[in-house]
Amino acid sequence: MNKTTVSLAIALALAVPFGAHAGKTLDSIKQKGQVACGVHTGLSGFSQADSQGNWDGIDVDYCKALAAAVLGDASKVKYVPLTAAQRFTALQSGEIDILSRNTTWTLTRDASLGLNFIGTVYYDGQGFLVPAKSKVKSAKAMKGATVCVQSGTTTEKNLTDYSRANKLDMKPVVFEKIEAATGAYFSGRCAAFTTDASGLASVRNKEAKNPADHVILPELISKEPLGPAVRRGDDEWFAIAKWVLFGLIEAEEYDITQANVEKLAAESTDPVVMRITGKSEDTGKLLGLDKDWMVKAVKAVGNYGEMFERNVGPKTPLNLPRGLNNQWNKGGLQYAPPIR
Amino acid sequence: MRRPSARKRWSWRSQAFRGLLWQVVAVLLVGFAVWFLAHNTLENMRARGIQSGFDFLKGPAGFDIGESLIPYDALDPYWKAFLVGILNTLRVAIIGIGVATLFGTLLGIGRFSANAIVRGLCYAYTETFRNVPILLQLLFWYLVFTEVLPPVAEPVSVGPFLLSKAGFSFPWWVEGRWSVPAPGAFSMEGGASATPEFMAVLMGLVFYTSAFIGEIVRAGIAAVPKGQVEAASALGLPRGLQVRKVILPQALRVIIPPLTSQYLNITKNSSLAVAIGYPDVVSIANTSLNNTGRAVECISIIMLVYLVTSLSTALFMNWYNKRVAIQER
Amino acid sequence: MKKKSWIRKNLFANAWSSLATIVFAVLVVAYLPGLLNWMVVQAVFGPNVDACQAARGTGACWGVIAEKWRLIVFGRYPHLEQWRPALATVLLLGLLFASCVRKFWTLWLVPAWIVVWVVFFWLMHGGLGLSVVPTDQWGGLPLTIMLSTIAIAGAFPLSIFVALGRRSKLPAIRTLCTVYIELVRGVPLVSILFMASFLFPLFMPVGKSPDVLIRVIVGLILFWAAYLAETVRGGLQAIPKGQLEAAASVGLGYWQTQRKVVLPQALAIVVPAVVNTFIAIFKDTSLVTIVSLYELTGALSIALNSDANWRPFKIEGYLFIAALYFTFCFAMSRYSLWVEKQVHHG
């Protein structure tokens, strides 16, 4: 009898804490003291850990900016490396607060996976990487070729569409992990490797023994707006995540940089700059953040342009042109709604 | 209404009552756990607007599959993609079971060879392959196929059989005539090919499992009393007949039950194919899970498929075991 | 003289045997020099990538181990702190080894295990003066050994209850235990790991889900308990019915009978089988790499996949960790045979 009572008591004890409702994302982040950020397991330029466990990349920088804006400290990020297959459930289940893992924004994902995309960090398109010695000049010449691809990505479906539309009859070899897919490509199992062009550049320039041995074909076969996503059901957190990204983009537009942000915050008389730095209007209050949330974010990682140049731009091994990712007034697509 | 003796049995300390109580508590606890998890899941899904249900199986899959036993097109529905995956799993498992049984039996018999080198080699093989994780073996074979073998354009050939990075190619009956494989621009053209993924999974399963089967066969043969063999010799039976009529029937009784679990292991271990890109049911489910976000549904399908195959293998082997078992009385 | 007769009997007993010996001798002469040449003579032992590239195809590059061994053995654990997992693993292995020696089979083992586990987690995780290393950076051999040891330590006690439950006279308990055992044994470990890693967080209220390492450990325990339960049940079935009747006649209750009469005998019988299950667990922890925990197999792939210079020498890497696994598993299987003999004699 005693044992029964004990068992029931244990069952109840287990049930009570779980019954309580989880707080809002922002509150729980403040309480935990860190932002749990889902990142790629290793894609140089986007998110990659060195052997010391330090993360860098443009996706990682966004997480740092978010942590700086919310907690005032860019180091308060818990990185959760995720495979393509794991990422959505990790976000849905609350294991991570934000998914910043070069994820393509599509209707199906937005509407049925229980998440909200907050914007686009990198406008991309899918391409093919082939060995230079295969002398292939166009994807259309690869009839019947085997193509290595990572599972659980939009790339897998785009490849199918492209192959169908052009009657190429390509054979996908699908891997769960990107290391396995690139490993198989480099060993010669596949005639081509396909993923977003930025990913191809990353693989070619960082993982190939000699980048010149591999060529990225000119065709881009899809639109791949890559951006972070948050869980549905918390509009306040959605707004914060969105505006940190917009803020970083707008900071570039108004030449607010990592180096000058504190000086500008103190001295600038430009009304737009004063609003962004929280000097004139307290936009932070509207979001539930500190007044100088944008100053902290820019101070931590720089503006969007600096993030781009540092991680993937022409001066990095990835050597990606600014292209579509330039500011709207410089011929690109990056256009942030105004902070006001 | 109750007789006094009956009432007396219903004391707190009576065994029947305690038994009942234990059962009620156990059922309640399990029921509570299931309810708790199910409730959370539904709650989570509702709160985020995650779509659920098996209706997605009827929608078009939209992705290609590298190898398929049945005609499959990307516009076919998800259920057909799953079917392709299931058939791929069964294909590698069934061929694996056949080859591993053959190989394992030879290994087991080899342990009784008159030749010390054969005995030693069989022993060394068994110990080596069963003491290294199967996943490592799969990865190793895949690496051998993709790294060591020559490119498609210059395959290693033995007659019409070709080995290259495109896998193992052999002549096959295509559209009413024999077609012989030849290197094309990106793949082998003509004939039929077993992809490196398939070959690696198959080899991993066969090498690993045959080591265990060899040990089972050895134990089975060792369990046959020596006197039986001596008696058979005394009767003048030739060695072949001795094995077929005396040793094997008795050894099989010892062998079948553990062999059954090895067959189940092959089927279950074929799920590791996902690590090297063979499109088995786990790999298809993974892709579907990502495209549709139906995590619960896709993982239940995986589990259901393996449960059904495991249970039916077990049923078949039990039936076979009954047939070879000693008919008592 | 004796040698000669041995050779005749074992190598040239009949025509087939002689043929096999000759074929083998020819193969050795044909291939052994090449193999030795690849493995030793032409092989590169120093961590020199150019020498390795030059020797490619003719000699093995063991230099890849010399260069990458720390990443392979410790995974992503911070470089300067790697003495911690090393020490923790040595402690754990030492105790595991001690537990295998009959002389130490006393009750002192229980507190010893508890202390070693506490120290192990303190060293691995940090705190109390050590810097904190989050679980996603744990990896390599320490993770492999930790996962397999925890899995057996958790699964074994659970399996005893489940096995007893499956033989229970109470229908509801028997059904629950049978369904659990058959369900788990019917599905592959990969699906359980997927469930623990992807799905389980969805089953819990938002943000209440435990660390992925803990989820995987629980998954492993539940999985292996089903297998061990069948092993234990085999032991239980070996106890003659007369003993149960005797226990009942002297007035022992169910739990007393199990504890004092049945289990001591049944568990002694199943020790070799349990050691064999431990070997299986040890090998199968390699599967957790599929859900992104970088134990030994996974650590090898992070060590080599992202490094273009060393990637071609992955085969040598695989051979190296295969040798590690083999050493552990072979030693344990010898131990299991030894225990089996002890049980039969004792």
Side-chain angles (χ1 to χ4, degrees):
Chain A
M1 202 28 224
N2 247 338
K3 281 175 192 155
T4 324
T5 341
V6 172
S7 328
L8 278 175
I10 291 173
L12 281 175
L14 280 174
V16 169
F18 292 128
H21 229 287
K24 294 270 188 212
T25 313
L26 182 61
D27 297 339
S28 87
I29 287 172
K30 281 185 172 157
Q31 193 199 331
K32 286 182 298 183
Q34 59 182 9
V35 178
C37 171
V39 292
H40 198 291
T41 47
L43 184 63
S44 103
F46 286 82
S47 68
Q48 195 175 37
D50 62 14
S51 58
Q52 311 290 312
N54 299 318
W55 289 85
D56 60 46
I58 195 167
D59 284 345
V60 167
D61 276 354
Y62 170 74
C63 290
K64 287 181 179 167
L66 189 62
V70 173
L71 297 168
D73 185 346
S75 68
K76 295 270 169 65
V77 184
K78 182 189 177 204
Y79 297 100
V80 182
L82 298 167
T83 66
Q86 291 169 316
R87 56 186 162 182
F88 298 123
T89 28
L91 183 63
Q92 289 163 356
S93 64
E95 200 179 350
I96 52 175
D97 301 314
I98 180 120
L99 177 71
S100 181
R101 189 202 171 282
N102 64 341
T103 301
T104 308
W105 186 351
T106 68
L107 181 144
T108 316
R109 287 175 174 176
D110 219 353
S112 72
L113 294 187
L115 42 85
N116 280 325
F117 282 88
I118 63 155
T120 304
V121 166
Y122 191 97
Y123 288 98
D124 209 342
Q126 179 177 346
F128 292 93
L129 185 69
V130 298
K133 67 171 190 285
S134 74
K135 304 237 164 30
V136 173
K137 293 278 175 278
S138 156
K140 294 207 171 95
M142 292 200 297
K143 207 169 166 60
T146 45
V147 181
C148 285
V149 59
Q150 193 189 5
S151 78
T153 51
T154 47
T155 19
E156 201 181 344
K157 281 188 147 183
N158 294 334
L159 175 68
T160 300
D161 288 352
Y162 185 73
S163 163
R164 273 185 78 85
N166 295 290
K167 302 204 170 47
L168 293 175
D169 193 25
M170 288 170 168
K171 300 230 161 24
V173 187
V174 182
F175 296 88
E176 163 86 5
K177 289 190 183 156
I178 188 146
E179 305 102 85
T182 53
Y185 166 74
F186 283 122
S187 74
R189 164 67 184 112
C190 300
F193 171 64
T194 184
T195 189
D196 307 330
S198 60
L200 293 180
S202 161
V203 167
R204 172 178 180 253
N205 297 335
K206 288 296 269 281
E207 289 184 28
K209 183 158 169 43
N210 180 4
D213 291 345
H214 300 271
V215 179
I216 296 173
L217 296 180
E219 287 95 345
L220 288 187
I221 65 172
S222 68
K223 289 188 288 186
E224 306 283 334
L226 308 177
V230 294
R231 196 168 32 254
R232 265 203 207 178
D234 187 344
D235 291 347
E236 288 74 23
W237 177 240
F238 181 31
I240 293 171
K242 223 171 3 187
W243 283 97
V244 168
L245 178 61
F246 292 152
L248 292 169
I249 294 170
E250 192 158 84
E252 186 191 13
E253 195 180 338
Y254 291 94
D255 292 323
I256 306 173
T257 66
Q258 194 169 15
N260 70 13
V261 61
E262 277 174 334
K263 191 163 172 278
L264 285 179
E267 296 167 7
S268 175
T269 49
D270 180 334
V272 179
V273 174
M274 285 170 76
R275 262 202 306 277
I276 293 176
T277 55
K279 192 81 188 297
S280 53
E281 279 172 39
D282 189 354
T283 50
K285 194 174 170 196
L286 302 175
L287 290 171
L289 302 176
D290 293 339
K291 199 171 171 176
D292 57 347
W293 61 287
M294 260 331 289
V295 178
K296 287 173 181 159
V298 175
K299 184 73 197 151
V301 297
N303 61 38
Y304 176 78
E306 289 174 287
M307 280 161 61
F308 191 98
E309 296 302 325
R310 184 170 56 240
N311 295 303
V312 298
K315 289 193 193 105
T316 66
L318 264 66
N319 191 13
L320 292 167
R322 200 59 200 271
L324 290 177
N325 294 295
N326 219 328
Q327 290 287 335
W328 61 281
N329 50 11
K330 290 179 185 153
L333 292 176
Q334 291 293 3
Y335 178 103
I339 293 184
R340 68 178 312 141
Chain B
M1 173 179 143
R2 263 188 208 145
R3 279 170 303 184
S5 64
R7 198 187 311 151
K8 202 174 164 193
R9 285 217 330 263
W10 283 106
S11 80
W12 287 110
R13 303 190 59 85
S14 89
Q15 270 206 342
F17 178 77
R18 283 174 130 193
L20 192 69
L21 196 67
W22 275 108
Q23 298 190 62
V24 170
V25 170
V27 171
L28 277 182
L29 272 181
V30 171
F32 172 74
V34 170
W35 171 83
F36 173 67
L37 298 178
H39 168 80
N40 282 331
T41 314
L42 293 177
E43 189 67 19
N44 284 342
M45 287 182 156
R46 198 189 49 74
R48 321 269 146 66
I50 302 171
Q51 315 225 334
S52 64
F54 284 97
D55 54 319
F56 77 96
L57 285 173
K58 286 193 219 127
F63 56 89
D64 263 332
I65 301 175
E67 48 193 306
S68 166
L69 284 178
I70 52 171
Y72 169 81
D73 181 279
L75 292 185
D76 281 332
Y78 271 107
W79 64 262
K80 204 160 174 198
F82 273 102
L83 187 63
V84 171
I86 293 170
L87 289 175
N88 279 338
T89 296
L90 290 181
R91 175 167 68 146
V92 78
I94 289 171
I95 298 179
I97 285 176
V99 183
T101 308
L102 190 73
F103 220 52
T105 312
L106 291 179
L107 277 171
I109 296 174
R111 298 285 287 276
F112 294 94
S113 163
N115 188 308
I117 295 177
V118 174
R119 285 201 304 269
L121 281 180
C122 288
Y123 173 73
Y125 173 95
T126 307
E127 290 301 336
T128 311
F129 282 93
R130 71 174 184 169
N131 282 321
V132 174
I134 181 165
L135 179 66
L136 195 62
Q137 296 193 31
L138 286 186
L139 294 170
F140 180 83
W141 291 120
Y142 190 54
L143 195 67
V144 168
F145 263 94
T146 53
E147 194 85 40
V148 178
L149 286 182
V152 182
E154 46 216 63
V156 184
S157 58
V158 181
F161 298 97
L162 307 175
L163 262 180
S164 70
K165 284 190 174 158
F168 173 62
S169 313
F170 47 91
W172 194 248
W173 193 253
V174 182
E175 289 162 4
R177 59 184 189 83
W178 281 100
S179 151
V180 179
F186 295 105
S187 59
M188 284 296 163
E189 279 162 17
S193 291
T195 60
E197 291 79 27
F198 175 78
M199 291 302 288
V201 176
L202 186 65
M203 283 170 77
L205 288 176
V206 165
F207 279 90
Y208 184 73
T209 317
S210 60
F212 285 90
I213 293 182
E215 194 52 30
I216 291 169
V217 171
R218 185 199 63 78
I221 296 176
V224 178
K226 246 194 176 149
Q228 299 265 347
V229 185
E230 286 163 4
S233 305
L235 284 177
L237 285 181
R239 182 76 182 155
L241 266 187
Q242 279 180 27
V243 171
R244 230 175 55 222
K245 293 281 178 188
V246 180
I247 301 180
L248 222 53
Q250 301 191 57
L252 270 183
R253 282 177 207 135
V254 185
I255 290 173
I256 298 288
L259 195 61
T260 308
S261 48
Q262 286 309 320
Y263 287 178
L264 295 180
N265 282 348
I266 286 200
T267 316
K268 284 180 278 177
N269 282 338
S270 69
S271 60
L272 297 181
V274 67
I276 56 170
Y278 177 69
D280 75 326
V281 66
V282 179
S283 159
I284 302 292
N286 248 336
T287 300
S288 313
L289 184 160
N290 262 278
N291 287 335
T292 61
R294 313 278 166 101
V296 181
E297 290 82 353
C298 288
I299 292 187
S300 340
I301 291 178
I302 300 182
M303 294 193 150
L304 197 69
V305 166
Y306 282 102
L307 265 182
V308 170
T309 19
S310 293
L311 289 181
S312 41
T313 316
L315 280 180
F316 172 77
M317 292 303 280
N318 281 345
W319 168 81
Y320 186 68
N321 192 27
K322 273 204 188 111
R323 273 193 40 166
V324 298
I326 306 174
Q327 305 294 325
E328 279 182 89
R329 265 157 275 174
Chain C
M1 223 31 237
K2 221 173 169 190
K3 214 175 213 172
K4 215 170 194 179
S5 77
W6 185 91
I7 290 178
R8 169 165 301 175
K9 198 169 156 221
N10 285 292
L11 298 180
F12 299 98
N14 54 39
W16 284 111
S17 179
S18 312
L19 183 69
T21 307
I22 292 167
V23 168
F24 181 73
V26 169
L27 286 178
V28 166
V29 171
Y31 288 108
L32 194 64
L35 192 66
L36 278 180
N37 203 25
W38 184 79
M39 282 185 67
V40 184
V41 182
Q42 303 271 335
V44 179
F45 290 91
N48 180 339
V49 78
D50 297 321
C52 273
Q53 288 286 357
R56 209 171 158 193
T58 58
C61 168
W62 302 114
V64 67
I65 315 291
E67 168 78 19
K68 296 281 185 186
W69 71 272
R70 285 185 83 142
L71 251 180
I72 297 173
V73 173
F74 293 113
R76 274 206 277 244
Y77 209 87
H79 211 258
L80 285 176
E81 305 284 337
Q82 283 175 358
W83 61 272
R84 284 160 48 181
L87 183 62
T89 310
V90 167
L91 272 179
L92 199 59
L93 281 179
L95 189 61
L96 199 63
F97 190 70
S99 310
C100 291
V101 180
R102 204 163 198 174
K103 211 172 85 189
F104 297 117
W105 287 358
T106 62
L107 267 181
W108 280 105
L109 273 180
V110 178
W113 270 105
I114 294 173
V115 169
V116 165
W117 274 123
V118 171
V119 174
F120 181 90
F121 278 106
W122 171 60
L123 282 171
M124 289 296 284
H125 187 265
L128 299 177
L130 292 176
S131 62
V132 171
V133 178
T135 54
D136 60 280
Q137 291 180 28
W138 299 14
L141 193 60
L143 190 64
T144 298
I145 292 175
M146 180 194 103
L147 284 176
S148 36
T149 323
I150 294 196
I152 189 119
F156 188 55
L158 181 60
S159 73
I160 295 175
F161 285 104
V162 177
L164 286 175
R166 191 166 183 179
R167 281 170 58 81
S168 162
K169 289 198 191 71
L170 310 173
I173 297 209
R174 192 172 60 234
T175 317
L176 282 178
C177 291
T178 310
V179 166
Y180 163 67
I181 291 176
E182 294 305 329
L183 270 186
V184 171
R185 280 161 40 99
V187 298
L189 179 54
V190 172
S191 64
I192 304 271
L193 291 176
F194 275 155
M195 194 126 132
S197 145
F198 304 165
L199 223 49
F200 188 75
L202 209 59
F203 295 163
M204 297 300 269
V206 172
K208 287 276 192 274
S209 147
D211 189 274
V212 64
L213 186 65
I214 295 171
R215 301 202 302 263
V216 164
I217 287 174
V218 172
L220 287 173
I221 289 178
L222 291 178
F223 181 79
W224 289 109
Y227 282 79
L228 275 172
E230 286 298 273
T231 310
V232 172
R233 190 164 71 108
L236 294 176
Q237 271 168 344
I239 308 300
K241 224 175 173 182
Q243 297 211 5
L244 296 181
E245 287 159 4
S249 70
V250 292
L252 292 184
Y254 176 80
W255 288 111
Q256 275 177 317
T257 311
Q258 301 301 336
R259 210 173 67 224
K260 302 213 159 122
V261 180
V262 179
L263 285 178
Q265 302 182 63
L267 294 186
I269 299 173
V270 299
V271 168
V274 171
V275 177
N276 285 337
T277 310
F278 182 63
I279 300 175
I281 297 177
F282 187 81
K283 284 183 293 179
D284 276 1
T285 47
S286 56
L287 267 61
V288 302
T289 171
I290 291 179
V291 291
S292 301
L293 285 179
Y294 294 98
E295 49 62 71
L296 202 49
T297 313
L300 178 75
S301 54
I302 51 172
L304 296 188
N305 271 336
S306 56
D307 190 331
N309 288 323
W310 293 101
R311 198 190 299 118
F313 310 106
K314 220 169 159 184
I315 289 198
E316 286 86 340
Y318 277 135
L319 290 175
F320 171 66
I321 59 170
L324 278 184
Y325 277 114
F326 178 82
T327 315
F328 274 100
C329 296
F330 189 70
M332 282 188 289
S333 71
R334 293 300 94 174
Y335 172 71
S336 151
L337 284 182
W338 177 79
V339 176
E340 202 167 354
K341 273 201 191 116
Q342 299 275 312
V343 170
H344 281 301
H345 289 299

